[in-house]
Amino acid sequence: MNILVVGSGAREHAIAWKLRQSPQVGQLYVAPGNAGTAAIATNLDVPATHIEKLAEAARSHHVDLTVVGPEAPLAAGIVDRFRAQGLPVFGPTQAAARIESSKVFAKELMRKHGIPTAEARVFSSYDEAKRYVQAAPLPLVVKADGLAAGKGVTVCQDHQQALKSLHDAMVARVFGAAGDRVLVEECLAGREVSIFAFTDGIHLSPLVAACDYKRLLDGDRGPNTGGMGSYSPPEFWTDPLSAEVRRAIMEPTVRAMAAEGCPYQGVLYAGLMLTPQGPKVLEFNCRLGDPETQAVLPRLRSDLLGVILSVVNGGLQNAAVEWRQDACVGVVLASGGYPGEYRRGLPIRGLEGVDSDILAFHAGTRSDPALGVITDGGRVLTLAALGSSLKDARHRVYANIGRVHFDGVQYRHDIALLLGSGQQARRS
Ligand code: AMP
Ligand code: GLY
């Protein structure tokens, strides 16, 4: 089968890398891809959000299946438009992708179907929201309804900050229409965990859990980023906890989406807070996470294409979806200055010098005829390794990380460094 992967991050490189291992995969294309995907697939120069051009490319390259990485094309309806043209595609429809693209939709779904989540109020009037926030208990969380490139959520410690967040979203409209409605939510405390499962709309695969690190600097300091690293499975993830999350959150959500007339197919991603009252949903996403994918897919023992086909064609209950016991740790190498201004075009050295068991998933990279592989984005690479334990996997990654270099490179030193409850307090 000829496959097209849509996207250009380390998540998409990991998806392409895993698909490449499938004996059923013929031609593999990535649009637009990066220097890493170019080494294992053919990059197509089409942006991930240009749905009609992607469909044209799928047709002209005789693509049998398209796998969509990022949320933007899913929220824009790539699945609906591909299907309307008879092009098989893996991911939720636009209506089902609302589970991520509208936090109001997701909150109302959870409320109606008894899925545990933070208490929240929805506002479409700034004045009403302002009045509510002025008297609401602190801390509280202000969330823009729509997609805001990960910037739409503010955890507010005081009323002034909450009022500013409301003003930014609803009056200054810094997120455009995504901020026309806001949620004002109770602040939950606990360990945060990302849960992933494949679903064909009825059945749900075994769950896999990962932790990600959003802050730039060690000890969860510094600004928020797109993610600086991840590990799987979390040290606190147990079979009983997995069973509880499956029973109380994941299965009811799949049933709820079907009951609402928008059955959900693809990867369902739940961002949870493990509170003293049990796991509660912070958000749903309609795709694999980045950087979690780089720590999760190496743990998939099964053939990814087989799993995806059983989702697209139905019958996931008969497919093997097995997760290895081994742990995986992924550490992001970012450009100096990221998440602010940074330079591009810097030569990346030492990639050929890493141990053979190290996975180097590219994100912002490009091949230059003269300079070789150069930087071309904020998050440049994820280095990942499997190990018999988190400690082992962590050791393997960090033993190699100094061998890869570009000017200004920055990375966290504490990915998967388990600190017990101290870490919990800082990370919440
Ligand atoms: P989201 O985009 O909804 O995942 O929110 C981004 C981040 O904000 C999450 O990963 C949490 O760290 C934090 N967050 C979101 N909602 C809450 C909440 N109700 N209580 C505490 N933290 C939250
Ligand atoms: N890891 C967060 C995300 O993919 O949205």
Side-chain angles (χ1 to χ4, degrees), residues 11 100 194 212 214 226 269 283 285 287-292:
R11 167 181 52 204
E100 172 167 2
S194 304
D212 74 344
K214 294 196 171 74
Y269 165 172
E283 61 162 354
N285 293 316
R287 51 172 172 87
L288 282 162
D290 190 338
E292 290 96 325

PDB file of all heavy atoms in Angstrom, residues 11 100 194 212 214 226 269 283 285 287-292, ligand 2:
ATOM      1  N   ARG A  11       6.621  14.005  15.678  1.00  0.00           N
ATOM      2  CA  ARG A  11       5.502  13.045  15.745  1.00  0.00           C
ATOM      3  C   ARG A  11       5.319  12.355  14.395  1.00  0.00           C
ATOM      4  O   ARG A  11       5.210  11.125  14.326  1.00  0.00           O
ATOM      5  CB  ARG A  11       4.216  13.800  16.132  1.00  0.00           C
ATOM      6  CG  ARG A  11       2.938  12.988  15.929  1.00  0.00           C
ATOM      7  CD  ARG A  11       1.696  13.793  16.313  1.00  0.00           C
ATOM      8  NE  ARG A  11       1.654  15.090  15.664  1.00  0.00           N
ATOM      9  CZ  ARG A  11       0.978  16.143  16.125  1.00  0.00           C
ATOM     10  NH1 ARG A  11       0.267  16.047  17.221  1.00  0.00           N
ATOM     11  NH2 ARG A  11       0.996  17.293  15.478  1.00  0.00           N
ATOM     12  N   GLU A 100     -11.589  18.136  20.334  1.00  0.00           N
ATOM     13  CA  GLU A 100     -10.436  19.009  20.589  1.00  0.00           C
ATOM     14  C   GLU A 100     -10.673  20.450  20.155  1.00  0.00           C
ATOM     15  O   GLU A 100     -10.261  21.377  20.843  1.00  0.00           O
ATOM     16  CB  GLU A 100      -9.179  18.486  19.866  1.00  0.00           C
ATOM     17  CG  GLU A 100      -8.010  19.482  19.967  1.00  0.00           C
ATOM     18  CD  GLU A 100      -6.648  18.935  19.573  1.00  0.00           C
ATOM     19  OE1 GLU A 100      -6.551  17.764  19.163  1.00  0.00           O
ATOM     20  OE2 GLU A 100      -5.662  19.697  19.694  1.00  0.00           O
ATOM     21  N   SER A 194      -0.975  11.855  29.937  1.00  0.00           N
ATOM     22  CA  SER A 194      -1.603  11.792  28.615  1.00  0.00           C
ATOM     23  C   SER A 194      -1.919  10.337  28.298  1.00  0.00           C
ATOM     24  O   SER A 194      -1.048   9.474  28.402  1.00  0.00           O
ATOM     25  CB  SER A 194      -0.640  12.312  27.532  1.00  0.00           C
ATOM     26  OG  SER A 194      -0.207  13.612  27.823  1.00  0.00           O
ATOM     27  N   ASP A 212       4.331  14.331  29.526  1.00  0.00           N
ATOM     28  CA  ASP A 212       5.129  15.283  28.750  1.00  0.00           C
ATOM     29  C   ASP A 212       5.548  16.462  29.626  1.00  0.00           C
ATOM     30  O   ASP A 212       5.049  16.633  30.730  1.00  0.00           O
ATOM     31  CB  ASP A 212       4.417  15.718  27.464  1.00  0.00           C
ATOM     32  CG  ASP A 212       3.267  16.688  27.718  1.00  0.00           C
ATOM     33  OD1 ASP A 212       2.814  16.795  28.881  1.00  0.00           O
ATOM     34  OD2 ASP A 212       2.833  17.342  26.762  1.00  0.00           O
ATOM     35  N   LYS A 214       6.049  20.511  29.483  1.00  0.00           N
ATOM     36  CA  LYS A 214       5.722  21.666  28.648  1.00  0.00           C
ATOM     37  C   LYS A 214       6.659  22.852  28.877  1.00  0.00           C
ATOM     38  O   LYS A 214       6.847  23.665  27.986  1.00  0.00           O
ATOM     39  CB  LYS A 214       4.280  22.094  28.897  1.00  0.00           C
ATOM     40  CG  LYS A 214       3.264  21.043  28.443  1.00  0.00           C
ATOM     41  CD  LYS A 214       1.857  21.583  28.327  1.00  0.00           C
ATOM     42  CE  LYS A 214       0.927  20.563  27.672  1.00  0.00           C
ATOM     43  NZ  LYS A 214       0.578  19.446  28.573  1.00  0.00           N
ATOM     44  N   GLY A 226       6.022  23.890  23.061  1.00  0.00           N
ATOM     45  CA  GLY A 226       5.248  22.806  22.450  1.00  0.00           C
ATOM     46  C   GLY A 226       5.545  21.454  23.070  1.00  0.00           C
ATOM     47  O   GLY A 226       4.906  20.464  22.742  1.00  0.00           O
ATOM     48  N   TYR A 269      -7.070  10.960  22.522  1.00  0.00           N
ATOM     49  CA  TYR A 269      -6.018  11.407  23.437  1.00  0.00           C
ATOM     50  C   TYR A 269      -6.708  12.151  24.570  1.00  0.00           C
ATOM     51  O   TYR A 269      -7.336  13.187  24.329  1.00  0.00           O
ATOM     52  CB  TYR A 269      -5.059  12.286  22.647  1.00  0.00           C
ATOM     53  CG  TYR A 269      -4.056  13.171  23.358  1.00  0.00           C
ATOM     54  CD1 TYR A 269      -3.096  13.830  22.597  1.00  0.00           C
ATOM     55  CD2 TYR A 269      -4.016  13.381  24.728  1.00  0.00           C
ATOM     56  CE1 TYR A 269      -2.150  14.662  23.181  1.00  0.00           C
ATOM     57  CE2 TYR A 269      -3.068  14.203  25.313  1.00  0.00           C
ATOM     58  CZ  TYR A 269      -2.151  14.849  24.536  1.00  0.00           C
ATOM     59  OH  TYR A 269      -1.224  15.680  25.097  1.00  0.00           O
ATOM     60  N   GLU A 283      -8.549  17.857  29.132  1.00  0.00           N
ATOM     61  CA  GLU A 283      -8.850  18.142  27.726  1.00  0.00           C
ATOM     62  C   GLU A 283      -8.813  16.836  26.950  1.00  0.00           C
ATOM     63  O   GLU A 283      -8.180  15.873  27.366  1.00  0.00           O
ATOM     64  CB  GLU A 283      -7.800  19.084  27.131  1.00  0.00           C
ATOM     65  CG  GLU A 283      -6.408  18.493  27.175  1.00  0.00           C
ATOM     66  CD  GLU A 283      -5.402  19.153  26.246  1.00  0.00           C
ATOM     67  OE1 GLU A 283      -5.781  20.012  25.453  1.00  0.00           O
ATOM     68  OE2 GLU A 283      -4.227  18.759  26.311  1.00  0.00           O
ATOM     69  N   ASN A 285      -7.791  15.499  22.983  1.00  0.00           N
ATOM     70  CA  ASN A 285      -7.224  15.857  21.694  1.00  0.00           C
ATOM     71  C   ASN A 285      -7.606  14.775  20.689  1.00  0.00           C
ATOM     72  O   ASN A 285      -7.892  13.639  21.067  1.00  0.00           O
ATOM     73  CB  ASN A 285      -5.710  16.010  21.778  1.00  0.00           C
ATOM     74  CG  ASN A 285      -5.327  17.216  22.635  1.00  0.00           C
ATOM     75  OD1 ASN A 285      -5.922  18.283  22.510  1.00  0.00           O
ATOM     76  ND2 ASN A 285      -4.376  17.039  23.525  1.00  0.00           N
ATOM     77  N   ARG A 287      -5.916  13.301  18.172  1.00  0.00           N
ATOM     78  CA  ARG A 287      -4.712  12.882  17.420  1.00  0.00           C
ATOM     79  C   ARG A 287      -3.689  12.394  18.414  1.00  0.00           C
ATOM     80  O   ARG A 287      -3.913  12.476  19.620  1.00  0.00           O
ATOM     81  CB  ARG A 287      -4.174  14.120  16.707  1.00  0.00           C
ATOM     82  CG  ARG A 287      -4.058  15.211  17.794  1.00  0.00           C
ATOM     83  CD  ARG A 287      -3.395  16.446  17.442  1.00  0.00           C
ATOM     84  NE  ARG A 287      -3.562  17.404  18.541  1.00  0.00           N
ATOM     85  CZ  ARG A 287      -2.760  17.500  19.593  1.00  0.00           C
ATOM     86  NH1 ARG A 287      -1.722  16.729  19.699  1.00  0.00           N
ATOM     87  NH2 ARG A 287      -3.002  18.388  20.546  1.00  0.00           N
ATOM     88  N   LEU A 288      -2.542  11.942  17.918  1.00  0.00           N
ATOM     89  CA  LEU A 288      -1.437  11.616  18.809  1.00  0.00           C
ATOM     90  C   LEU A 288      -0.799  12.906  19.338  1.00  0.00           C
ATOM     91  O   LEU A 288      -0.878  13.961  18.705  1.00  0.00           O
ATOM     92  CB  LEU A 288      -0.388  10.806  18.052  1.00  0.00           C
ATOM     93  CG  LEU A 288      -0.727   9.327  17.849  1.00  0.00           C
ATOM     94  CD1 LEU A 288       0.133   8.736  16.741  1.00  0.00           C
ATOM     95  CD2 LEU A 288      -0.531   8.538  19.144  1.00  0.00           C
ATOM     96  N   GLY A 289      -0.161  12.824  20.486  1.00  0.00           N
ATOM     97  CA  GLY A 289       0.496  13.993  21.077  1.00  0.00           C
ATOM     98  C   GLY A 289       1.916  14.141  20.585  1.00  0.00           C
ATOM     99  O   GLY A 289       2.547  13.184  20.149  1.00  0.00           O
ATOM    100  N   ASP A 290       2.429  15.348  20.661  1.00  0.00           N
ATOM    101  CA  ASP A 290       3.825  15.633  20.375  1.00  0.00           C
ATOM    102  C   ASP A 290       4.352  16.385  21.593  1.00  0.00           C
ATOM    103  O   ASP A 290       3.786  17.428  21.924  1.00  0.00           O
ATOM    104  CB  ASP A 290       3.921  16.484  19.103  1.00  0.00           C
ATOM    105  CG  ASP A 290       5.347  16.627  18.606  1.00  0.00           C
ATOM    106  OD1 ASP A 290       6.287  16.453  19.398  1.00  0.00           O
ATOM    107  OD2 ASP A 290       5.512  16.924  17.407  1.00  0.00           O
ATOM    108  N   PRO A 291       5.287  15.895  22.323  1.00  0.00           N
ATOM    109  CA  PRO A 291       6.278  14.855  22.033  1.00  0.00           C
ATOM    110  C   PRO A 291       5.950  13.441  22.521  1.00  0.00           C
ATOM    111  O   PRO A 291       6.812  12.567  22.436  1.00  0.00           O
ATOM    112  CB  PRO A 291       7.514  15.369  22.772  1.00  0.00           C
ATOM    113  CG  PRO A 291       6.973  16.057  23.991  1.00  0.00           C
ATOM    114  CD  PRO A 291       5.653  16.647  23.562  1.00  0.00           C
ATOM    115  N   GLU A 292       4.723  13.165  22.985  1.00  0.00           N
ATOM    116  CA  GLU A 292       4.438  11.836  23.532  1.00  0.00           C
ATOM    117  C   GLU A 292       4.627  10.718  22.496  1.00  0.00           C
ATOM    118  O   GLU A 292       5.096   9.629  22.830  1.00  0.00           O
ATOM    119  CB  GLU A 292       3.001  11.766  24.067  1.00  0.00           C
ATOM    120  CG  GLU A 292       2.740  12.588  25.332  1.00  0.00           C
ATOM    121  CD  GLU A 292       2.153  13.937  25.024  1.00  0.00           C
ATOM    122  OE1 GLU A 292       2.518  14.532  23.973  1.00  0.00           O
ATOM    123  OE2 GLU A 292       1.334  14.424  25.815  1.00  0.00           O
TER     124      GLU A 292
HETATM  125  N1  GLY B   2       1.689  17.051  24.116  1.00  0.00           N
HETATM  126  C1  GLY B   2       0.642  17.964  23.964  1.00  0.00           C
HETATM  127  C2  GLY B   2      -0.025  17.922  22.665  1.00  0.00           C
HETATM  128  O1  GLY B   2       0.355  17.197  21.764  1.00  0.00           O
HETATM  129  O2  GLY B   2      -1.014  18.635  22.505  1.00  0.00           O
END
